[in-house]
Amino acid sequence: MTTPLVLREKAETQAARLPALLARAEQLAGAVLLGDHGRRRAGMGDDFWQYRPAQVGDSLRMIDHRRSAMGDTQFVREREWQIAQSVMLWVDQGASMRFASTPQLTTKAERARVLSLATAILLVRGGERVGLTGTRLPPRRGTPQILRLAEVFSEDADEDYSPPEHRAMVPHARAVFVSDFMGDIEAVRTALTKAADRGVRGVLLHVLDPAEETFPFRGRTVFESMGGTLEHETLKASDLKDRYLERLAARKAELQQLCSVAGWQYGLHHTDASTQSGLLWIWRALDGGRLRT
């Protein structure tokens, strides 16, 4: 049974993480130069986007007579769509994410949290509503929402692998899933299928430690899950390498296939790569922040 003292210690530990996580995310977001935010979709707004030839159904008042006078074709002046879009985040907080192969590397969890929070900061700055999948933190705008996200991201789950949260997805919104995706692939399949059914498109960032790509283990080795629930001992770890790498390649291929079917984008990020490269990939995968549909 959890005692009040244990709860307080956990709360203090997580509260202590907030300033550091928020500072790193703010610094990372500030290092990315995005220019003027816009999503370049025709609709209601004040900023000019593009000219296009007039079509059947366009009213006369939509015609830009100055541009049309330059030739024989009538042109419509379209303006930029500026209605805020909802973006939902899911960051794996399972124990497997707390792995780092060397003290010099950050854990997968730390990298996933910083990238996701920095993405949220950029989106909020651009006027988007950002929240979590599920019902705990619906999409909202503003700095207070960033603080709420930082608080939730600082939590750890007890289980080795956390399944993607797919409840309460806002129809036709966007989503960002960040995980090592070492758990049950069926949970990912269910989440992306439900997302696609609701018109939700997004990006899936696969975060791995470099040792998980190369399997550098030799001789007698004891493999233990980060949550301590699984353990396997072998006298010749190198004999497992080929089978492990085959399964990892199969997992990557399956994730890519799931993303392709659901209309999502798949990306792979290693914790020895720069954090900025991961953020730029997410941002570009979201169409430069424009979240084009």
Side-chain angles (χ1 to χ4, degrees):
M1 181 177 180
T2 303
T3 65
L5 180 59
V6 172
L7 285 174
R8 179 179 176 182
E9 290 176 350
K10 288 184 177 180
E12 289 178 347
T13 299
Q14 293 187 9
R17 297 175 185 171
L18 282 177
L21 173 61
L22 192 57
R24 284 192 291 271
E26 287 278 8
Q27 184 178 19
L28 177 59
V32 177
L33 300 178
L34 300 175
D36 291 335
H37 178 85
R39 284 182 279 137
R40 305 303 178 192
R41 175 177 170 182
M44 298 180 63
D46 296 326
D47 295 334
F48 169 71
W49 175 30
Q50 67 175 5
Y51 291 111
R52 66 164 174 81
Q55 302 171 353
V56 176
D58 290 336
S59 64
L60 290 177
R61 65 181 181 181
M62 295 174 64
I63 303 298
D64 188 287
H65 298 287
R66 179 176 297 179
R67 174 65 180 84
S68 300
M70 299 173 64
D72 297 328
T73 303
Q74 290 186 317
F75 286 90
V76 169
R77 181 184 178 94
E78 290 190 323
R79 300 185 183 278
E80 190 174 358
W81 189 61
Q82 295 181 330
I83 302 173
Q85 176 74 40
S86 293
V87 184
M88 297 170 295
L89 308 174
W90 174 72
V91 180
D92 189 343
Q93 293 170 290
S96 70
M97 293 291 288
R98 300 195 282 276
F99 173 73
S101 57
T102 70
Q104 290 72 38
L105 289 174
T106 184
T107 65
K108 293 180 287 183
E110 177 68 17
R111 180 59 57 88
R113 290 165 177 173
V114 170
L115 285 174
S116 300
L117 191 58
T119 299
I121 290 171
L122 292 177
L123 289 167
V124 166
R125 286 177 181 173
E128 314 290 358
R129 295 187 298 266
V130 183
L132 301 176
T133 55
T135 59
R136 183 175 181 182
L137 195 60
R140 294 189 180 91
R141 300 185 186 91
T143 300
Q145 184 75 341
I146 296 299
L147 297 176
R148 297 185 193 103
L149 287 169
E151 183 177 0
V152 175
F153 288 164
S154 297
E155 299 173 358
D156 290 325
D158 294 329
E159 63 266 32
D160 281 316
Y161 308 108
S162 292
E165 173 62 81
H166 53 72
R167 295 173 299 163
M169 284 195 175
V170 179
H172 307 294
R174 294 294 174 266
V176 178
F177 283 12
V178 186
S179 171
D180 60 7
F181 296 101
M182 292 290 191
D184 182 13
I185 191 68
E186 290 305 316
V188 182
R189 188 189 310 278
T190 298
L192 292 189
T193 299
K194 289 193 173 184
D197 289 344
R198 297 183 69 83
V200 176
R201 296 173 60 187
V203 299
L204 184 153
L205 186 64
H206 194 182
V207 178
L208 293 174
D209 184 279
E212 294 173 325
E213 289 276 22
T214 60
F215 200 85
F217 308 104
R218 300 289 185 274
R220 180 180 181 274
T221 307
V222 177
F223 297 98
E224 184 177 8
S225 66
M226 295 301 295
T229 60
L230 301 172
E231 183 178 309
H232 177 73
E233 181 177 356
T234 179
L235 297 178
K236 297 184 67 176
S238 56
D239 288 350
L240 302 175
K241 182 173 183 177
D242 289 344
R243 280 180 289 170
Y244 167 81
L245 292 179
E246 287 175 2
R247 294 188 66 177
L248 179 61
R251 174 56 57 94
K252 290 179 183 178
E254 192 160 12
L255 289 171
Q256 291 174 27
Q257 175 64 17
L258 289 174
C259 286
S260 177
V261 171
W264 285 42
Q265 293 197 53
Y266 169 87
L268 178 63
H269 179 77
H270 299 126
T271 53
D272 60 346
S274 71
T275 314
Q276 187 169 338
S277 69
L279 178 60
L280 285 172
W281 182 87
I282 294 175
W283 194 254
R284 288 165 182 163
L286 289 172
D287 194 23
R290 293 188 285 272
L291 307 173
R292 184 176 57 197
T293 57

